[in-house]
Amino acid sequence: MHAVQRTLKRVAAAAIMATLATTAMAAGPKIFVIGGKADDPFWSRVKKGADDAALVVKAAGGTVTWMGPQTYDNLGPDAAKLIRSALSQKPDAIVGPDWVPEAMDAAFKEVVAAGVPLIIYNSGGMEAAKRLGAQNYVGSEEYVAGTGGGEYFARNGAKFVLCINTQPGSTNQEARCKGVADGMAKGGGKSVQLPLPSSAFGNPTAVAQAIKAALQKDPSVDGVITIGANDANSAANGISQGGFTKRVKLGTFDIDPTNLQRIKAGTQLFCIDQQPYLQGYLAVSMLNAYVQYGLKVPTAPILTGPGIVDASNVDATVAGAAAGAR
């Protein structure tokens, strides 16, 4: 009789342990990622990185949820709403860019106050991560990237560069244009910002026409840099339509296959790459490791850029772009 009871107890204990293991597996980490629009070419690369990292999270029974705005017309307030929406769903961790600090910081502080691990990525830098109490920053230092772009323009003969900003007021874009201006100044040139309404972002006709008009107005402009690869495609059209291809050198932050083909063809000078795939992949992977195992990367910030892509290294970049990761 006692032997039967002991056997039943062992069976019951094993069943309990199996149930607990199953429950733990089903209760894997819930990670929320705040990012850009789904149809934004740059953010599709960030999302691919996050999605690939999510495979490990899902294997442990967890989830990774991407949340992005419908438009960029009201970027800061809309992003703050997304952060609070993610927080209301009792997450285990949140990843987000600090695009517009005055609109978003209060929401991020609510995340930290609730004890939810936070990583800032893509925008804001380590300064924002420290200010908000986030674990780390993953991304590029935008001012440094801009400075490098300005210096590169100057080394290649540009004297007056327009920095086309279709997201005026956004922290990372303002830092990019300021960096370009300072980099050009170091090389003896100058750069000014041409701010366009945020509604122009993703509107190729509006961007092309604005750039064409600016180049027609001031014949001393011999360089144009855009804040994103999509805008660079529009800029290339505006430069071509105005007949300024020989006069104006084109550069951009970020890359896409069309930009790379122009570099190969000699009609675009360079791209500044921040490796967006790694931003999504590393941020999600780091938070998953922290939530599940208490692992924490001691290096801060985790920089994914900047790097210059030009005629000297464009071929090595094309394969990654074809796979949707560059």
Side-chain angles (χ1 to χ4, degrees), residues 80-102:
K81 290 178 183 177
L82 292 174
I83 296 165
R84 292 189 171 102
S85 176
L87 184 59
S88 72
Q89 299 179 59
K90 302 186 183 306
D92 292 300
I94 289 178
V95 179
D98 196 23
W99 286 315
V100 187
E102 58 269 26

Side-chain angles (χ1 to χ4, degrees), residues 164-250:
I164 313 301
N165 189 352
T166 50
Q167 292 180 334
S170 175
T171 301
N172 54 337
Q173 313 306 356
E174 297 290 343
R176 287 176 170 184
C177 285
K178 185 179 188 309
V180 171
D182 290 350
M184 281 292 294
K186 289 181 180 179
K190 67 176 181 177
S191 176
V192 298
Q193 184 178 152
L194 177 64
L196 300 180
S198 58
S199 58
F201 185 86
N203 184 333
T205 300
V207 174
Q209 290 302 314
I211 292 172
K212 178 181 174 182
L215 296 176
Q216 289 172 333
K217 183 178 179 180
D218 191 340
S220 68
V221 175
D222 58 1
V224 167
I225 187 167
T226 62
I227 63 167
N230 205 37
D231 281 347
N233 297 330
S234 304
N237 289 335
I239 292 169
S240 176
Q241 290 167 13
F244 304 122
T245 303
K246 292 184 178 180
R247 175 185 123 197
V248 178
K249 297 177 175 64
L250 176 61

Side-chain angles (χ1 to χ4, degrees), residues 208-290:
Q209 290 302 314
I211 292 172
K212 178 181 174 182
L215 296 176
Q216 289 172 333
K217 183 178 179 180
D218 191 340
S220 68
V221 175
D222 58 1
V224 167
I225 187 167
T226 62
I227 63 167
N230 205 37
D231 281 347
N233 297 330
S234 304
N237 289 335
I239 292 169
S240 176
Q241 290 167 13
F244 304 122
T245 303
K246 292 184 178 180
R247 175 185 123 197
V248 178
K249 297 177 175 64
L250 176 61
T252 188
F253 292 87
D254 306 325
I255 63 177
D256 73 5
T258 305
N259 281 264
L260 296 177
Q261 290 306 315
R262 280 197 299 270
I263 291 175
K264 287 174 67 69
T267 56
Q268 181 166 327
L269 187 59
F270 70 100
C271 296
I272 303 174
D273 186 19
Q274 60 174 300
Q275 301 186 111
Y277 174 91
L278 284 180
Q279 293 177 17
Y281 185 87
L282 293 175
V284 170
S285 297
M286 289 164 61
L287 283 176
N288 178 53
Y290 178 75

Side-chain angles (χ1 to χ4, degrees), residues 3-236:
V4 173
Q5 289 177 333
R6 285 195 296 272
T7 300
L8 290 174
K9 286 180 179 180
R10 285 196 295 270
V11 171
I16 291 171
M17 292 301 294
T19 300
L20 289 174
T22 302
T23 302
M25 180 66 75
K30 290 172 57 179
I31 300 174
F32 286 78
V33 182
I34 312 301
K37 291 171 55 183
D39 60 351
D40 183 327
F42 173 85
W43 284 99
S44 70
R45 289 161 172 76
V46 181
K47 187 176 185 298
K48 177 173 173 55
D51 289 345
D52 284 355
L55 297 175
V56 176
V57 179
K58 292 175 182 177
T63 59
V64 175
T65 303
W66 182 273
M67 302 177 74
Q70 295 298 310
T71 72
Y72 294 136
D73 295 346
N74 196 35
L75 184 60
D78 286 350
K81 290 178 183 177
L82 292 174
I83 296 165
R84 292 189 171 102
S85 176
L87 184 59
S88 72
Q89 299 179 59
K90 302 186 183 306
D92 292 300
I94 289 178
V95 179
D98 196 23
W99 286 315
V100 187
E102 58 269 26
M104 299 171 65
D105 278 8
F108 277 131
K109 288 178 181 178
E110 290 171 23
V111 172
V112 176
V116 176
L118 170 68
I119 282 182
I120 299 297
Y121 79 148
N122 177 255
S123 177
M126 197 63 207
E127 179 183 352
K130 290 179 179 178
R131 183 178 69 247
L132 299 170
Q135 284 192 0
N136 212 325
Y137 171 74
V138 179
S140 182
E141 291 289 355
E142 303 296 4
Y143 174 78
V144 175
T147 302
E151 292 175 343
Y152 188 87
F153 261 127
R155 287 197 303 272
N156 284 272
K159 301 297 183 184
F160 184 14
V161 173
L162 289 182
C163 185
I164 313 301
N165 189 352
T166 50
Q167 292 180 334
S170 175
T171 301
N172 54 337
Q173 313 306 356
E174 297 290 343
R176 287 176 170 184
C177 285
K178 185 179 188 309
V180 171
D182 290 350
M184 281 292 294
K186 289 181 180 179
K190 67 176 181 177
S191 176
V192 298
Q193 184 178 152
L194 177 64
L196 300 180
S198 58
S199 58
F201 185 86
N203 184 333
T205 300
V207 174
Q209 290 302 314
I211 292 172
K212 178 181 174 182
L215 296 176
Q216 289 172 333
K217 183 178 179 180
D218 191 340
S220 68
V221 175
D222 58 1
V224 167
I225 187 167
T226 62
I227 63 167
N230 205 37
D231 281 347
N233 297 330
S234 304

